[in-house]
Amino acid sequence: MNHSQEWERLPIEKKEVIIKYHSQYPVKLGALAKELGLVVKLATLPANISGEIKDCDGVVTIRVNKHDMQARRRYTLAHEIAHFLLHRHLLRDGITDDVLYRSSQSNQIEAEANRLAADIIMPMHQVDECYARHFKGKKDAVLYEAIAKDLDVSTIALKYRLGVNG
C-alpha cells in the first residue's frame, strides 16, 4: 500500500482509527483529531508559524494558523497529528512548527512527522483513484492540480507524497 516506515511503527489500533477516515476524500482531519482525543483550534499565530502542539496535563491541543490557506492548514493539522502519534514524549514542552515544518526538534523528528502526515492526509489509494479519474492525457501540472484539489492539499504536498521534485 506504499506507506512510510512511520506508518508501519504505529500500533494497529491507531492505524485502524486513521483508516476509517480514508474511505472518502478529502480526509476529515478534524473528526480524526477529535477521535484521537485532540483539541484543535484555529489561532492567530505569527506569520512564520504554521502550527503547534502541546500536552498540558494530558490535554493535547493543536493550534493551526488561521491566516494560512486551507490546504496549508490541513497539512499542518496532519503534521501535528503525526507528532502526537509518533512523538508524544516531546509534547510536554510543546512543538512549534514554522512554515517549512521545522521546529526546535531535530530534522529527523520533523521528517518523520512529514512522512506520516502524508500517509494520513493522502493515502495512496486515494491518490491513485484521483489520478485514474483525472489522467485523460493531461499535462503533469494540470493533473497534479486536479488531484491536489480533490484531496484538498497543495500541489507541493502532493508532489512530496509522490516523490516528484519541482
Side-chain angles (χ1 to χ4, degrees), residues 105-131:
Q105 301 301 319
S106 70
N107 289 341
Q108 177 184 339
I109 294 289
E110 291 304 328
E112 289 174 359
N114 277 332
R115 286 190 293 267
L116 184 57
D119 286 331
I120 292 169
I121 198 171
M122 297 173 279
M124 282 310 294
H125 73 274
Q126 288 184 2
V127 174
D128 292 344
E129 284 173 27
C130 293
Y131 180 89

Side-chain angles (χ1 to χ4, degrees), residues 1 24 32 46-47 54-56 66 72 81-82 85 92 94 96 106 114 130 140 149-150 157-158 166:
M1 261 250 240
Q24 58 182 339
L32 170 59
K54 185 167 181 136
D55 184 337
C56 255
K66 73 179 184 180
R72 174 102 185 155
I81 290 170
L85 293 168
R92 197 118 197 69
T96 299
S106 70
N114 277 332
C130 293
D140 282 352
K149 184 177 180 190
D150 280 356
L158 177 64

Side-chain angles (χ1 to χ4, degrees), residues 18-159:
I18 296 166
I19 289 169
K20 283 195 314 191
Y21 293 91
H22 285 175
S23 62
Q24 58 182 339
Y25 49 86
V27 173
K28 295 189 180 331
L29 293 172
L32 170 59
K34 186 175 182 178
E35 186 166 340
L36 290 170
L38 303 169
V39 175
V40 177
K41 296 179 178 181
L42 286 177
T44 297
L45 299 174
N48 64 329
I49 301 298
S50 290
E52 59 186 25
I53 183 169
K54 185 167 181 136
D55 184 337
C56 255
D57 298 322
V59 177
V60 179
T61 301
I62 294 172
R63 295 187 341 143
V64 176
N65 195 331
K66 73 179 184 180
H67 300 290
D68 286 346
M69 292 179 16
Q70 180 171 317
R72 174 102 185 155
R73 290 191 313 258
R74 285 178 44 76
Y75 191 85
T76 297
L77 180 53
H79 180 92
E80 302 306 338
I81 290 170
H83 275 312
F84 169 75
L85 293 168
L86 296 171
H87 311 123
R88 183 98 194 241
H89 61 287
L90 300 173
L91 301 185
R92 197 118 197 69
D93 294 329
I95 297 175
T96 299
D97 290 300
D98 70 14
V99 294
L100 298 175
Y101 298 107
R102 289 187 301 224
S103 68
S104 61
Q105 301 301 319
S106 70
N107 289 341
Q108 177 184 339
I109 294 289
E110 291 304 328
E112 289 174 359
N114 277 332
R115 286 190 293 267
L116 184 57
D119 286 331
I120 292 169
I121 198 171
M122 297 173 279
M124 282 310 294
H125 73 274
Q126 288 184 2
V127 174
D128 292 344
E129 284 173 27
C130 293
Y131 180 89
R133 205 174 71 204
H134 290 292
F135 179 64
K136 301 179 187 83
K138 289 182 178 164
K139 300 268 189 227
D140 282 352
V142 175
L143 180 60
Y144 292 140
E145 283 181 31
I147 295 168
K149 184 177 180 190
D150 280 356
L151 300 177
D152 203 2
V153 298
S154 68
T155 53
I156 293 169
L158 177 64
K159 288 178 179 182

